Amino acid sequence: MTAISLSPVFCAANGIVINSSDDKNISLGMLHPEDTVLQARIKKEYPQYQCGFTAITTEEFNIKLSRLYGEENPGGTPAAANEDRRASAIDKIAKDAPAVNTLNGIFLEALAKNASDIHIEAEKENAQIRFRIDGMLVFIRTITQERALEVSARLKYLARLNTIENRRPQDGHLALQTSDYSLDARISIIPAIWGESIVLRLLNRSDVPLSVEALGFSAGHQEHIKTILSMTSGLILVTGPTGSGKTTTLAAVLKELHTSAIKIISIEDPVEYRIDGITQIQVNEELSLTFDAALRRIFRQDPDIIMVGEIRDIETAELAIRAAMTGHLVFATLHTNNASESVFRLHNMGLPFYEIAAVLKAVIAQRLIRKRCTACNAAGCPACVGTGYSGRTVIAEILLITTTLADSISRGILAEDMRHTLAQSGHRTLYDDAEEKVSRGITTGKEVQRELGAPQ
Ligand SMILES: [Zn+2]
């Protein structure tokens, strides 16, 4: 008597079948008997049973899997056809209505809610779906583990990943064009204790405004950005932590700079927005196309403006400086908390102060903060899913490097002195910009505190 059953989807996805079972014991055949994570999962799921695991050949597995799918005389088919039994079972799952409809539903909902990321995480009982909206993760609903396996199979199929692989991490990209929607996403799949954790970053989103004005820069900052856009050479940094909107600002800036008279090349990871007329290069570590390797190559492409997605190391920093010194306008991002810190970050990476002073023209430090919901005035309503906030805006600090400041930097100014000098000159900090946005009712003091912490 069979006391338990595993679904065909679970068996196909995990390469496991039940050899036999009674009231107390289960014997399972595994294609990968070394997969102790899967063994632990089964044991936890059936604590009342004694579980035994044995290795099973592909041929045995295929026969058992075919029986699960209720197919006749599977042993009679040629061995070559048998080899593909598992892959074709998963292929069928990926193309079947439950997987197609569930994933379509998730995509449509994510697009309707302006989500930036979709998270599908296997848990003990179910799988949880969450969206990142305006920078915050929002719980959407749970689906069964089995449905999650179907969705995973479909995602792997769409992203041309290995559909029968679920024990190793996989990364990929998928682009979909249906009559209802178009979607471009980067996908990351990592096996976790209860199954897979799948995260999709939605790229090239049409709901994000790509203009400096629409992003929410204040009037004064828009003037500063105009000054920056009129420059023809030098280094411009956009700084902030992950998720602070740096890429979006750069995309808006490049879009405004683009004319047929200049050549713009960007090196990005990933390419989040596709911009007409700009040569965008996707970093690919596996092919050794890193930021610095790409940067070394593009000098021969005769660019006027270069965008470096991120300065992570000294090699990239030095190349960016060299490009800026040889008459190119170079935009790059850096992970720093404020504008003046960038000078010292570059110095700590190994660049001498005089080189920084010679090329650095401006730093835009920024954050994204949520806007007060206009429908309920931040009280919480259906339009803002009860959060009181809807959409996001930029808060920024823009530092234009004057000749006096460049002089001080080249002489090795101290961080403290730089802060003091800036404060004396009436320089507006991130807090100042945030305060203005609170006083204009665009956001709340509470939201500013959440993002920036208490004022210093
Ligand atoms: Zn509201």
Side-chain angles (χ1 to χ4, degrees):
M1 185 193 104
T2 300
I4 67 154
S5 66
L6 296 176
S7 73
V9 175
F10 184 85
C11 292
N14 291 295
I16 191 165
V17 284
I18 298 172
N19 290 327
S20 64
S21 73
D22 58 27
D23 295 347
K24 286 181 187 136
N25 305 290
I26 319 171
S27 159
L28 296 123
M30 296 176 75
L31 279 177
H32 301 282
E34 74 283 5
D35 190 346
T36 51
V37 173
L38 182 59
Q39 290 184 7
R41 227 172 109 190
I42 304 248
K43 281 182 189 162
K44 272 191 193 148
E45 212 146 324
Y46 300 103
Q48 66 275 40
Y49 294 94
Q50 191 66 41
C51 298
F53 302 94
T54 54
I56 189 170
T57 65
T58 307
E59 205 174 355
E60 288 170 317
F61 177 77
N62 283 330
I63 293 169
K64 288 213 152 80
L65 191 65
S66 296
R67 283 199 191 125
L68 272 177
Y69 276 92
E71 288 167 13
E72 293 281 310
N73 194 23
T77 52
N82 254 345
E83 286 289 297
D84 295 316
R85 192 62 196 84
R86 187 177 171 208
S88 70
I90 294 179
D91 224 44
K92 190 169 171 298
I93 292 164
K95 290 173 191 166
D96 267 359
V100 175
N101 294 338
T102 307
L103 194 58
N104 266 339
I106 293 171
F107 283 163
L108 281 170
E109 192 174 347
L111 292 167
K113 293 198 154 102
N114 290 335
S116 60
D117 303 77
I118 300 170
H119 293 235
I120 305 169
E121 301 139 325
E123 296 185 311
K124 190 165 189 272
E125 309 287 343
N126 295 298
Q128 159 174 259
I129 297 178
R130 294 189 292 171
F131 293 165
R132 191 173 291 281
I133 302 168
D134 293 339
M136 309 288 266
L137 271 176
V138 179
F139 171 79
I140 300 299
R141 63 175 169 273
T142 57
I143 54 174
T144 63
Q145 284 259 19
E146 193 169 326
R147 192 50 48 84
L149 285 173
E150 292 164 355
V151 166
S152 160
R154 178 148 191 84
L155 282 169
K156 288 172 188 166
Y157 168 77
L158 291 173
R160 295 192 180 88
L161 297 173
N162 183 351
T163 52
I164 63 171
E165 177 63 78
N166 63 354
R167 299 180 306 134
R168 290 188 193 86
Q170 294 196 80
D171 292 321
H173 178 258
L174 64 102
L176 278 181
Q177 185 76 54
T178 75
S179 52
D180 295 325
Y181 63 89
S182 68
L183 181 130
D184 188 9
R186 182 175 68 167
I187 180 169
S188 155
I189 303 176
I190 293 186
I193 183 78
W194 296 115
E196 291 166 317
S197 169
I198 303 174
V199 178
L200 290 122
R201 158 66 53 91
L202 305 188
L203 308 169
N204 218 15
R205 294 159 60 205
S206 56
D207 59 292
V208 181
L210 279 189
S211 82
V212 170
E213 194 184 344
L215 288 175
F217 283 99
S218 66
H221 284 157
Q222 286 182 47
E223 282 307 310
H224 285 340
I225 291 175
K226 264 188 203 154
T227 307
I228 292 170
L229 296 188
S230 68
M231 296 172 181
T232 53
S233 71
L235 177 66
I236 315 292
L237 293 173
V238 180
T239 78
T242 304
S244 56
K246 303 186 291 283
T247 311
T248 310
T249 295
L250 279 174
V253 161
L254 293 187
K255 206 174 153 196
E256 294 196 14
L257 281 170
H258 169 63
T259 73
S260 59
I262 53 170
K263 174 141 180 144
I264 304 179
I265 304 184
S266 75
I267 311 166
E268 304 173 61
D269 187 24
V271 174
E272 285 206 39
Y273 303 99
R274 291 191 189 145
I275 309 165
D276 285 341
I278 295 179
T279 307
Q280 294 174 283
I281 301 169
Q282 165 75 56
V283 163
N284 189 332
E285 306 266 346
E286 277 168 35
L287 298 178
S288 301
L289 189 62
T290 53
F291 279 111
D292 61 309
L295 199 43
R296 259 178 248 280
R297 296 286 172 172
I298 64 175
F299 288 115
R300 291 191 183 178
Q301 290 273 315
D302 189 24
D304 297 289
I305 297 174
I306 299 169
M307 194 271 259
V308 184
E310 194 186 333
I311 295 182
R312 289 180 192 161
D313 47 49
I314 182 67
E315 289 77 19
T316 310
E318 277 172 346
L319 288 162
I321 293 265
R322 196 174 99 201
M325 276 181 170
T326 50
H328 303 94
L329 186 60
V330 180
F331 290 88
T333 77
L334 204 60
H335 278 259
T336 60
N337 289 320
N338 59 53
S340 57
E341 198 184 307
S342 309
V343 171
F344 304 98
R345 174 63 50 81
L346 288 178
H347 181 67
N348 288 339
M349 276 182 161
L351 293 176
F353 276 121
Y354 70 88
E355 275 190 10
I356 300 168
V359 295
L360 189 61
K361 299 295 176 204
V363 185
I364 302 173
Q366 70 170 68
R367 297 285 192 288
L368 289 177
I369 52 169
R370 294 181 297 168
K371 289 194 285 190
R372 184 195 286 268
C373 171
T374 48
C376 66
N377 203 19
C381 72
C384 56
V385 214
T387 60
Y389 298 94
S390 175
R392 286 191 291 178
T393 191
V394 157
I395 50 169
E397 174 195 2
I398 299 186
L399 177 60
L400 296 174
I401 310 285
T402 58
T403 41
T404 321
L405 189 53
D407 261 4
S408 312
I409 293 171
S410 71
R411 278 186 272 108
I413 192 171
L414 295 173
E416 218 178 284
D417 292 341
M418 184 149 164
R419 266 198 299 277
H420 184 71
T421 310
L422 290 177
Q424 291 284 303
S425 69
H427 174 72
R428 286 170 59 85
T429 64
L430 280 168
Y431 282 101
D432 297 330
D433 196 36
E435 274 308 304
E436 188 198 311
K437 276 170 173 137
V438 172
S439 70
R440 285 170 56 203
I442 295 169
T443 188
T444 65
K446 205 173 149 198
E447 172 66 3
V448 170
Q449 276 234 356
R450 187 187 67 78
E451 186 56 44
L452 291 181
Q456 286 151 358

